[in-house]
Amino acid sequence: MNLPSPAAAPPVREPLHAPVAHLVRGGVVEGVHYGSVVVLGADGEVRLRLGDIEAACYPRSALKPVQTVAMVRAGLPLEGELLSLAAASHSGEERHLAGVRRVLAGAGLTEDHLRNVPDLPLGPAVRDAWVRDGRPPSRLAQNCSGKHAAMLLTAKLNGWSLEDYLDPAHPLQRAIAANVEDLTGQRVARVTVDGCGAPLFAVSLHGLARAAARVVTAAPGTPEARVADAMREHPEMTSGSGRDVAALMRAVPGLLAKDGYEGVQIAALPDGRAVAVKISDGAGRARVPVTAAALARAGVEPALLTGFAGEPLLGGGRPVGDVRPAPALAPLAPLDRSGAR
């Protein structure tokens, strides 16, 4: 199959972010979160751009669905909850740990073969219990262990070396980089190391949204569709109990969503409408309401998004304000029959 050549890499520059969320306390804007937002229509055209959607950025864990598609293309045989776990930033619950062990066992490997950094579980309640029990940080508990186990299984099945599977020059990582360029439609601007130790590829927010749209609109049975279906059917394996990204996928029928550190979020609907969000200061409290507002601008019924409007600001222990999307993200007026607003 002859794939079109990717476009040039996005420019590496200080992003020209714009206000995307306000902290409103007692009717006064107390603070402002800056960032960038892109909304794509089902035809792939940009329906909303806010901030700098063309500058190079690091998608962090929001890129995991694309990385997982690359592994499936390379022969990763996982399905269902284990395939969802391969794309996960999991909370470290027992089901996540058990799933990682199953993936490793399928390759005849153990936790000792993982090369991600040891860490405590990501989920606050799970982490607190882990500490109370006196358990030390571990590679298994670290939120990217599902991805790393899948990387090892993919390498093992292809006869590639295991000790250096995180080297950007490794066949696995070269295959992942090629898949990133294929699905985003642009060259990778920079390669660095993610928090877990895996290579991380810089693309634009626009390219990231394009990749999300391509994953959800792929034909049934393709690697893209297999990953999207697994994540949507098992959203708590991709994240964890009580996590906002799982709740968002449960709330909006057919939605694929993935979050990432430093305030990155992607979300895409089965018809190809997609959004990508980057909060410049990495604040999760802004990421959620901004993503919900972007989905509303993409045409998602607002009633489905009421649980993601933003967390309250407290004063004296009671709500006195909230975190809300900036006016530029306010819903558009509906179209009349003539097509005018």
Side-chain angles (χ1 to χ4, degrees), residues 7-11 13 15 17 35-59 62-63 66 180-187 201-215 264-268 272-278:
R13 64 187 179 213
H17 291 307
S36 295
V37 179
V38 59
V39 177
L40 302 183
D43 58 0
E45 294 298 314
V46 175
R47 297 291 183 249
L48 171 72
R49 67 173 69 227
L50 186 60
D52 195 345
I53 68 170
E54 304 297 353
C57 69
Y58 289 122
L63 195 63
V66 177
V180 170
E181 293 187 336
D182 173 32
L183 293 182
T184 62
Q186 61 188 177
R187 298 289 183 191
F201 309 100
V203 296
S204 70
L205 204 64
H206 188 179
L208 187 61
R210 210 161 34 226
R214 289 194 60 187
V215 169
V264 183
Q265 176 85 51
I266 58 170
R273 287 174 290 160
V275 308
V277 170
K278 164 64 181 174

Side-chain angles (χ1 to χ4, degrees), residues 40-340:
L40 302 183
D43 58 0
E45 294 298 314
V46 175
R47 297 291 183 249
L48 171 72
R49 67 173 69 227
L50 186 60
D52 195 345
I53 68 170
E54 304 297 353
C57 69
Y58 289 122
R60 303 300 298 268
S61 287
L63 195 63
K64 283 177 178 173
V66 177
Q67 293 171 304
T68 306
V69 168
M71 289 187 272
V72 174
R73 287 179 172 181
L76 181 68
L78 301 179
E79 300 287 351
E81 63 179 12
L82 293 185
L83 185 55
S84 181
L85 184 61
S89 301
H90 65 70
S91 292
E93 299 166 23
E94 284 304 321
R95 58 178 162 180
H96 299 131
L97 308 187
V100 175
R101 292 189 187 99
R102 286 170 59 193
V103 175
L104 289 169
L109 304 174
T110 68
E111 181 181 354
D112 292 337
H113 291 89
L114 294 170
R115 292 292 178 266
N116 58 318
V117 294
D119 201 356
L120 297 173
L122 180 63
V126 184
R127 182 173 60 248
D128 290 348
W130 191 281
V131 173
R132 284 196 304 270
D133 292 342
R135 302 170 73 177
S138 79
R139 299 184 193 276
L140 200 66
Q142 197 268 339
N143 76 89
C144 301
S145 62
K147 177 181 74 176
H148 282 255
M151 286 181 171
L152 282 166
L153 177 56
T154 304
K156 182 72 174 292
L157 292 173
N158 282 278
W160 297 331
S161 57
L162 302 182
E163 295 78 11
D164 59 344
Y165 74 93
L166 296 183
D167 187 327
H170 191 279
L172 172 65
Q173 301 302 336
R174 292 203 308 268
I176 290 174
N179 191 64
V180 170
E181 293 187 336
D182 173 32
L183 293 182
T184 62
Q186 61 188 177
R187 298 289 183 191
V188 168
R190 294 283 172 88
V191 180
T192 188
V193 182
D194 208 339
C196 65
L200 178 62
F201 309 100
V203 296
S204 70
L205 204 64
H206 188 179
L208 187 61
R210 210 161 34 226
R214 289 194 60 187
V215 169
V216 296
T217 57
T222 60
E224 295 93 328
R226 285 172 55 192
V227 172
D229 289 346
M231 292 177 67
R232 290 181 293 202
E233 291 168 10
H234 305 277
E236 283 80 14
M237 287 299 283
T238 299
S239 54
S241 302
R243 293 271 294 280
D244 59 75
V245 69
L248 190 60
M249 284 194 276
R250 294 287 187 195
V252 181
L255 185 73
L256 176 72
K258 184 69 186 77
D259 55 346
Y261 273 145
E262 300 305 326
V264 183
Q265 176 85 51
I266 58 170
L269 293 152
D271 63 2
R273 287 174 290 160
V275 308
V277 170
K278 164 64 181 174
I279 307 301
S280 65
D281 62 3
R285 68 177 180 180
R287 172 183 56 81
V288 177
V290 169
T291 298
L295 284 169
R297 287 292 293 266
V300 173
E301 174 58 47
L304 299 175
L305 301 167
T306 54
F308 309 94
E311 62 185 65
L313 297 180
L314 302 180
R318 61 183 179 85
V320 294
D322 57 11
V323 181
R324 65 183 67 167
L329 282 165
L332 295 174
L335 294 174
D336 64 25
R337 291 185 181 181
S338 68

